Amino acid sequence: SGQLPPKATIAAFGVTGYAAELLGPLLGADVTSVETLAHVGSARRFFPDAQVVCDVGGQDIKVLLLDPDGIRGFRLSQQCAAGNGALLEAAAVEFGGPIERYAEVARGARRAPHFSAGCAVFLDTERVTAQRDGYTPAEILAGLAAVLPRNIWESVAAANDLTAMGDVFVLSGGVQRNAAAVRA
């Protein structure tokens, strides 16, 4: 719901992301952190054995390969895998629902169009074509969710063998709240 329980108190707060260095001092934040390190720290807090953190946000995708001492590798989406999270949200809104209902709607699909892995611009063009071809909103949302893992592992991580990356994967970022994307 985005609201704190009535008796909750905020002991401290931190700021991360692109504007952390600017907003932290303005807001009186207790800590500012580089976004990637914040994702690694959170993943390790809840999953101490995490070996791969996959941060899928609205604008980019980061794949962080971990070792016991920190980050051993880093992959960042370039043009061709950027914007996938924003595309999922825009598609949900266009089809009449908030992103929170995405999985509920996509679950009603009996089939899904096959979308090519790639940038959001090309995916959006394919989405329009799928609409013209008679696919329902549920089917299109299911297809867009299904292409996301391919974008992550083929376009960003360039991984032919996920087991070589590790055994414990953690999904973070805004897309982790989309159950259809998580399931895919």
Side-chain angles (χ1 to χ4, degrees), residues 111-133:
R111 63 182 181 146
H114 177 81
F115 292 112
S116 303
C119 75
V121 173
F122 295 131
L123 282 171
D124 198 43
T125 300
E126 288 186 42
R127 177 196 56 81
V128 171
T129 301
Q131 282 180 274
R132 244 181 306 180
D133 290 345

Side-chain angles (χ1 to χ4, degrees), residues 54-58 60-62 84-85 148 152 171-176:
C54 183
D55 166 22
V56 182
D60 62 18
I61 299 170
K62 296 176 208 70
N84 283 214
L148 183 63
I152 295 167
L171 177 63
S172 67
V175 172
Q176 55 120 352

Side-chain angles (χ1 to χ4, degrees), residues 31-149:
V31 66
T32 59
S33 176
V34 175
E35 184 178 4
T36 52
L37 296 179
H39 283 277
V40 170
S42 295
R44 282 274 164 84
R45 172 133 195 295
F46 294 99
F47 303 97
D49 296 332
Q51 295 169 313
V52 179
V53 175
C54 183
D55 166 22
V56 182
Q59 298 306 314
D60 62 18
I61 299 170
K62 296 176 208 70
V63 176
L64 309 162
L65 308 173
L66 309 181
D67 64 22
D69 298 320
I71 299 174
R72 67 176 163 87
F74 176 84
R75 309 279 192 318
L76 175 66
S77 60
Q78 300 300 318
Q79 294 172 285
C80 284
N84 283 214
L87 175 65
L88 295 177
E89 185 167 3
V93 170
E94 182 175 327
F95 292 132
I99 191 71
E100 293 80 15
R101 290 197 56 240
Y102 190 110
E104 177 187 334
V105 173
R107 205 175 12 248
R110 285 187 253 152
R111 63 182 181 146
H114 177 81
F115 292 112
S116 303
C119 75
V121 173
F122 295 131
L123 282 171
D124 198 43
T125 300
E126 288 186 42
R127 177 196 56 81
V128 171
T129 301
Q131 282 180 274
R132 244 181 306 180
D133 290 345
Y135 284 95
T136 68
E139 293 165 341
I140 292 170
L141 293 179
L144 289 173
V147 77
L148 183 63

